[in-house]
Amino acid sequence: MSALMGQMMTTPLMIGSVLRHAARHAGEVEVVSKRVEGDVHRTNWAGIELRARKLAQAFARLGCEPGDRVGTLAWNGYRHLEIYYGSSGSQLVCHTINPRLFPEQIAWIANDAADRVLCFDLNFLPLVEKLAPEMKSVQHFVLMTDRVHMPAASSIAGLLCYEEIVDAEDGAYSWPDFDENTASSICYTSGTTGHPKGAVYSHRSTLLHAYAAAMPDAMNCSTRDVILPVVPMFHVNAWGIPYTAAMVGAKLVMPGPHLDGKSLYELFENEKVTFSAGVPTVWLGLLTYMKANRLKFSSFKRTVIGGSACPPAMMKTLQEDFHVEVIHAWGMTEMSPLGTLSKLMSKHDDLPAEAKQKLLETQGRVIYGVDMAIIDDDGRSLPWDGVAAGNLVVRGNWVIASYFGQKDAPSPLVSVDGEPGWFPTGDVAAIHPDGYMQITDRSKDVIKSGGEWISSIELENIAMAHPAVHEAAVIACKHPKWDERPLLVVVPKPGMSPTREDLLGFFEGRIAKWQIPDDVAIVAELPHTATGKLQKLKLREQFKQHRLPGA
Ligand code: ADP
């Protein structure tokens, strides 16, 4: 007998439908942006939707075809939001690029994704003018501003004005339906080996992720919320907030590039923000400013902190001094990014305060849509006893199966107890019997500073080019403010004695300033395996007590 099929509509999960929903059912709910130009701009979901429709028309007029990539170099703001929807909603692919990367990396990523259009904020004009000749695939450069702010002259031939291309359209466009597995967006993550790799999200994965993010044990978002994503829209789609906010019809407040304590505090208060999200370091400036000026929040209730381990002291300060609930979260670009969030279960209500706090300090429990396991090096699953630590693997509706352009490459997925299809996160974790996951280490060879990746391999390659360096290794060193900072360990060439200043100076101009190692250690030799592979874990152990300058 054949199975009885469901008889429901098979409406595809489309990003355009989320914005259409927001415009129809929360049309007057505001979207407020602190602009790059300095002022505050106000619109609402109906306004965003109309302009996103016009933008979709403008992209088509520029000759964009389904599947074409639209790159962005932009801060959090309404125009960026319109691009998210205007591109994905019209079957183009929104490719957010992290402007904090080194210029050569930005150009490399734009080329790898073969971006056809590049939209960028006003303050990135000098950068894009420098990079434009390298960006071979880009046919249209769009400056995200109005005519008044357009430069009198630019080295970019045919530079387009965002407001002009939007204004030229009539908005007579309706969001099309197509296969929900179509690519909607791409985010690059610094790989552990060599070049960054792209995670390609689909309409379906993005919508399911947005649904899950809104659930009570996740971000708990509703139409009553005023959401300010401090996490940038170029950092894994601001953790899905641009979609979740539209889905629930929440007010959205965008800080632009104004992320200093004073600007953020004023925006939180003026717009009555209730919920926010960001990496741990973004809160430092805000909390320091508030403490110095004896300020309190009047509306801010809860925040998700993730991307790097949230220091327990920061959690305590937010909870006890500022009455803000901290939801510690873990995820990664390859997971859209949400995986786990830390909230208490009702069975924990009677636990002593300290035990509750310990659970909240873990990276949390998975949300439905993602599953996880910890495994040993032979792929056998380990018990959830809060003690055994192993390689953390995940699978689910918004977890990648392969990287951009590598569909035919060997699959990155691994097996758990013989069952294939799990993505290895490169994190090492233990899992508490109640399902609370705790990151204990990282097996991937990268450094995470203030929520941003630094590729150790890239730094090592630069160091190795130094004439006095025989061998170089870069490892993560604990840092109280940035969580981790790079330490360069060098074996000099025989008879040479390079200085710290000389070695660090060598990185200037070769990598972004914030990626330059904090310190250098000169050693006689580095630990190797029998096959000659550098033993990074051993090296990290060796320098566990190393104090970085200023740390
Ligand atoms: P995101 O920063 O949005 O989580 P990335 O892909 O840039 O996404 O980084 C993912 C990696 O960051 C994880 O694999 C993990 O190593 C680290 N990470 C993310 N969240 C946490 C957390 N809460 N605690 C510890 N490490 C984290």
Side-chain angles (χ1 to χ4, degrees):
M1 255 185 26
S2 58
L4 177 64
M5 299 308 289
Q7 289 170 270
M8 311 304 286
M9 295 184 190
T10 50
T11 316
L13 300 172
M14 294 277 93
I15 284 177
S17 77
V18 180
L19 190 58
R20 187 171 54 213
H21 169 86
R24 273 172 75 85
H25 303 284
E28 79 295 351
V29 176
E30 279 188 301
V31 174
V32 179
S33 309
K34 191 103 187 260
R35 283 203 270 211
V36 171
E37 292 91 334
D39 58 345
V40 171
H41 172 273
R42 313 188 88 85
T43 179
N44 56 29
W45 283 113
I48 294 285
E49 199 254 354
L50 173 60
R51 283 167 48 96
R53 269 189 276 136
K54 291 184 176 185
L55 189 60
Q57 292 176 302
F59 286 142
R61 195 178 296 279
L62 291 177
C64 291
E65 290 169 0
D68 278 350
R69 269 74 76 190
V70 175
T72 68
L73 274 170
W75 300 103
N76 293 7
Y78 65 103
R79 292 186 182 117
H80 205 175
L81 189 63
E82 291 160 3
I83 297 168
Y84 262 47
Y85 284 99
S87 58
S88 304
S90 65
Q91 227 171 325
L92 305 177
V93 183
C94 182
H95 171 211
T96 50
I97 309 176
N98 185 345
R100 292 185 180 134
L101 296 175
F102 197 55
E104 277 73 22
Q105 288 172 319
I106 293 175
W108 187 92
I109 288 174
N111 282 328
D112 189 64
D115 293 338
R116 184 154 182 186
V117 179
L118 183 74
C119 302
F120 56 101
D121 271 336
L122 200 50
N123 51 341
F124 297 126
L125 180 60
L127 172 72
V128 177
E129 283 183 332
K130 198 173 120 196
L131 293 181
E134 311 299 321
M135 295 177 158
K136 305 280 184 234
S137 58
V138 178
Q139 291 170 358
H140 306 284
F141 290 90
V142 182
L143 188 54
M144 291 161 65
T145 192
D146 52 20
R147 175 47 54 193
V148 178
H149 291 88
M150 287 296 283
S154 168
S155 62
I156 303 172
L159 179 65
L160 295 167
C161 168
Y162 182 91
E163 290 300 324
E164 277 185 357
I165 64 166
V166 169
D167 282 348
E169 306 297 336
D170 61 7
Y173 180 89
S174 48
W175 300 110
D177 274 352
F178 42 89
D179 184 342
E180 64 185 20
N181 291 304
T182 305
S184 61
S185 28
I186 302 187
C187 288
Y188 275 72
T189 179
S190 304
T192 50
T193 48
H195 289 304
K197 287 183 280 195
V200 187
Y201 313 122
S202 68
H203 284 253
R204 175 186 163 81
S205 72
T206 304
L207 257 72
L208 292 174
H209 177 267
Y211 262 116
M215 289 205 294
D217 284 329
M219 291 183 177
N220 191 14
C221 294
S222 90
T223 186
R224 301 176 62 86
D225 275 311
V226 179
I227 307 178
L228 187 154
V230 183
V231 51
M233 292 171 79
F234 55 76
H235 186 170
V236 212
N237 294 331
W239 300 348
I241 288 174
Y243 308 109
T244 301
M247 203 177 247
V248 302
K251 173 174 165 180
L252 201 49
V253 181
M254 304 291 223
H258 312 282
L259 300 174
D260 60 288
K262 182 170 185 288
S263 305
L264 276 181
Y265 179 73
E266 285 169 5
L267 207 54
F268 269 78
E269 285 304 298
N270 292 345
E271 302 303 330
K272 303 202 170 3
V273 172
T274 61
F275 173 67
S276 184
V279 297
T281 40
V282 300
W283 305 105
L284 290 172
L286 178 61
L287 297 183
T288 306
Y289 172 78
M290 289 179 68
K291 275 188 180 160
N293 294 283
R294 298 175 172 280
L295 299 167
K296 293 275 177 225
F297 289 117
S298 61
S299 55
F300 187 28
K301 298 270 183 328
R302 59 189 203 289
T303 186
V304 164
I305 297 186
S308 281
C310 180
M314 176 182 286
M315 244 173 135
K316 261 199 142 85
T317 304
L318 274 161
Q319 288 162 337
E320 290 170 12
D321 301 349
F322 295 101
H323 309 290
V324 175
E325 179 193 359
V326 174
I327 306 152
H328 192 198
W330 166 87
M332 56 195 304
T333 306
E334 289 89 337
M335 302 174 67
S336 310
L338 287 182
T340 62
L341 300 103
S342 202
K343 293 253 185 123
L344 295 180
M345 301 166 80
S346 57
K347 69 187 273 193
H348 304 130
D349 284 353
D350 299 327
L351 283 181
E354 211 172 297
K356 283 186 186 167
Q357 195 62 27
K358 280 273 164 263
L359 285 178
L360 291 175
E361 285 169 9
T362 70
Q363 276 72 10
R365 304 172 70 234
V366 287
I367 26 176
Y368 172 72
V370 182
D371 197 3
M372 66 178 171
I374 42 174
I375 56 173
D376 63 17
D377 288 341
D378 297 322
R380 278 188 299 255
S381 59
L382 296 168
W384 292 18
D385 57 9
V387 180
N391 300 312
L392 180 65
V393 296
V394 291
R395 66 178 177 191
N397 301 103
W398 51 86
V399 179
I400 66 158
S402 56
Y403 286 99
F404 177 66
Q406 299 189 5
K407 246 181 154 166
D408 300 325
S411 168
L413 307 186
V414 298
S415 295
V416 174
D417 296 329
E419 189 187 5
W422 295 79
F423 179 80
T425 64
D427 287 317
V428 176
I431 305 179
H432 182 276
D434 288 336
Y436 289 80
M437 185 272 287
Q438 188 153 19
I439 303 272
T440 57
D441 200 359
R442 193 186 292 140
S443 59
K444 51 192 171 194
D445 187 14
V446 275
I447 298 141
K448 196 137 202 217
S449 167
E452 300 269 2
W453 288 123
I454 300 176
S455 160
S456 39
I457 289 168
E458 214 164 326
L459 296 183
E460 284 159 9
N461 288 343
I462 294 172
M464 293 294 280
H466 189 285
V469 172
H470 171 64
E471 196 179 4
V474 174
I475 51 171
C477 235
K478 276 282 161 205
H479 190 283
K481 179 169 178 194
W482 304 108
D483 191 24
E484 295 173 2
R485 290 293 305 158
L487 166 71
L488 171 66
V489 188
V490 159
V491 180
K493 279 192 181 146
M496 303 245 191
S497 39
T499 63
R500 179 180 181 277
E501 287 62 40
D502 174 29
L503 288 164
L504 294 184
F506 194 66
F507 287 88
E508 304 270 351
R510 292 184 160 91
I511 194 96
K513 259 202 155 47
W514 61 272
Q515 299 183 332
I516 296 178
D518 276 22
D519 206 2
V520 179
I522 307 278
V523 294
E525 58 176 352
L526 292 170
H528 291 100
T529 61
T531 54
K533 237 178 104 177
L534 192 64
Q535 286 179 303
K536 280 281 178 81
L537 284 176
K538 205 161 185 180
L539 197 61
R540 274 197 346 235
E541 193 57 39
Q542 201 176 318
F543 284 93
K544 212 170 171 181
Q545 306 299 337
H546 186 87
R547 289 275 307 220
L548 295 167

